[in-house]
């Protein structure tokens, strides 16, 4: 067998998950709600605002979809013992990790694309213009963000040996990398800024702290979003006086790094663990 063979087999398994389809359907419901409310709340409906709303709710909701779909991909099979059968076919451990990544990414990505496809159909029915180029850029960035969180979940799953540990890792990452990073003044980084600058007087640049905050995949997604919208309809900071490392292009590079690094670290650990 191979990476693709593992992916095909896993795809057959994960597509039966009612939880996966339930959370995916909920995101689609959000899309329908936003596009419906957008066209009845004003005499000149603007699809741009609905795309912004969908991206904003996605920043908090998409990580849940990705983590729920993928956090047990490997850890669940290790706990049940079925991982030994999978590795005896034969498959390498690399095949297992990458195959699971492909299959779970395909399922979550398909759910996200479906939600936006529904939004596009409603736009054609209810709005004066589809704004196809902007629509496509938002979908592309959202897929990049989605796959970054699938990579995180696969990395956690490959590095843990039980369902409970994988769940703990996924929940912990969601809170630390998502909820405790999104709001600057309430973030972990903001706490360090207060301790190091306000209390200890170290005088570290605010831009440096902001860059650290943007290493979160969720914050990187939000800060990359201006690239999707023309004519400066949204901005990063309200000012152009920011260093190059706070530009939205760098945020895209951060998301690309999240596609690779968690999976690589998970595979590195999985390669060295004794499966007993």
């Amino acid at each position: 067998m191979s990476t693709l063979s593992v992916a095909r087999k896993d795809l057959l398994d994960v597509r039966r998950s009612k939880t996966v389809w339930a959370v995916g359907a909920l995101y689609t419901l959000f899309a329908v709600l936003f596009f419906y409310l957008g066209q009845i709340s004003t005499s000149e409906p603007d699809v741009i605002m609905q795309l912004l709303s969908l991206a904003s709710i996605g920043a908090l909701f998409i990580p849940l979809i990705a983590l729920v779909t993928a956090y047990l991909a490997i850890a669940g099979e290790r706990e049940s013992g079925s991982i030994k059968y999978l590795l005896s076919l034969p498959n390498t451990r690399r095949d297992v990790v990458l195959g699971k990544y492909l299959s779970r990414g395909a399922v979550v990505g398909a759910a996200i694309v479906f939600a936006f496809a529904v939004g596009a159909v409603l736009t054609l029915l209810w709005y004066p213009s589809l704004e196809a180029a902007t629509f496509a850029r938002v979908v592309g960035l959202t897929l990049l963000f989605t796959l970054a969180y699938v990579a995180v979940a696969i990395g956690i799953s490959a590095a843990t040996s039980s369902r409970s540990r994988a769940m703990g890792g996924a929940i912990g990452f969601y809170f630390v990398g998502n909820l405790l990073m999104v709001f600057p003044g309430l973030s972990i980084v903001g706490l360090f800024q207060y301790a190091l600058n306000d209390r200890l007087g170290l005088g570290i640049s605010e831009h440096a702290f902001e860059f650290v905050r943007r290493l979160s995949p969720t914050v990187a997604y939000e800060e990359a979003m201006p690239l999707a919208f023309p004519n400066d309809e949204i901005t990063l900071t309200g000012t152009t006086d920011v260093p190059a490392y706070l530009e939205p292009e760098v945020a895209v590079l951060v998301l690309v790094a999240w596609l690779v690094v968690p999976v690589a670290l998970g595979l590195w650990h999985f390669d060295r663990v004794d499966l007993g």
Side-chain angles (χ1 to χ4, degrees):
M1 293 182 75
S2 65
T3 297
L4 292 179
S5 298
V6 173
R8 282 193 294 267
K9 178 184 179 301
D10 189 60
L11 193 59
L12 294 174
D13 294 335
V14 74
R15 72 180 186 181
R16 303 188 187 102
S17 172
K18 295 180 180 179
T19 302
V20 171
W21 294 116
V23 292
L26 186 56
Y27 188 65
T28 301
L29 183 60
F30 278 123
V32 173
L33 182 63
F34 286 137
F35 283 93
Y36 173 73
L37 293 178
Q39 59 92 25
I40 66 170
S41 60
T42 177
S43 59
E44 297 181 2
D46 183 5
V47 68
I48 297 296
M49 296 308 299
Q50 311 324 311
L51 288 172
L52 278 170
S53 297
L54 197 56
S56 296
I57 194 67
L60 295 176
F61 193 71
I62 287 174
L64 289 176
I65 301 175
L67 291 171
V68 166
T69 303
Y71 83 99
L72 289 180
I74 299 169
E77 295 208 31
R78 285 182 64 182
E79 185 173 85
S80 68
S82 60
I83 192 71
K84 296 178 183 178
Y85 169 75
L86 190 59
L87 289 170
S88 70
L89 288 176
N91 293 307
T92 66
R93 298 191 185 197
R94 175 178 173 273
D95 290 335
V96 170
V97 173
L98 296 184
K100 298 281 189 177
Y101 183 25
L102 289 176
S103 61
R104 305 298 166 120
V107 169
V108 182
I112 299 304
V113 169
F114 179 77
F116 276 99
V118 170
V121 171
L122 297 180
T123 300
L124 291 173
L125 293 174
W126 293 337
Y127 290 77
S129 173
L130 176 61
E131 301 290 348
T134 301
F135 219 110
R137 288 191 291 266
V138 173
V139 173
L141 276 176
T142 303
L143 279 177
L144 183 60
F145 173 56
T146 300
L147 294 177
Y149 257 98
V150 173
V152 168
I154 292 294
I156 291 171
S157 193
T160 50
S161 58
S162 67
R163 292 171 176 265
S164 59
R165 291 180 180 178
M167 179 180 291
I171 293 173
F173 190 91
Y174 180 76
F175 277 95
V176 175
N178 196 61
L179 297 182
L180 297 183
M181 282 290 195
V182 171
F183 307 105
L186 301 176
S187 69
I188 294 177
V189 176
L191 178 63
F192 278 107
Q193 183 176 359
Y194 171 77
L196 296 178
N197 282 355
D198 296 350
R199 304 300 298 176
L200 299 179
L202 297 184
I204 300 173
S205 168
E206 291 185 7
H207 291 319
F209 286 108
E210 178 60 18
F211 176 73
V212 172
R213 193 177 72 89
R214 296 182 189 198
L215 293 178
S216 157
T218 301
V219 179
Y221 170 63
E222 292 181 334
E223 301 301 338
M225 194 53 65
L227 294 174
F229 294 89
N231 304 322
D232 297 322
E233 294 188 50
I234 59 175
T235 60
L236 281 171
T237 61
T239 177
T240 57
D241 186 22
V242 296
Y245 57 80
L246 294 184
E247 294 293 339
E249 292 82 0
V250 176
V252 174
L253 293 179
V254 171
L255 286 176
V256 171
W258 280 106
L259 291 179
V260 178
V261 174
V263 176
L265 291 176
L267 178 58
W268 178 82
H269 185 277
F270 188 53
D271 266 338
R272 286 157 179 76
V273 72
D274 181 9
L275 298 178

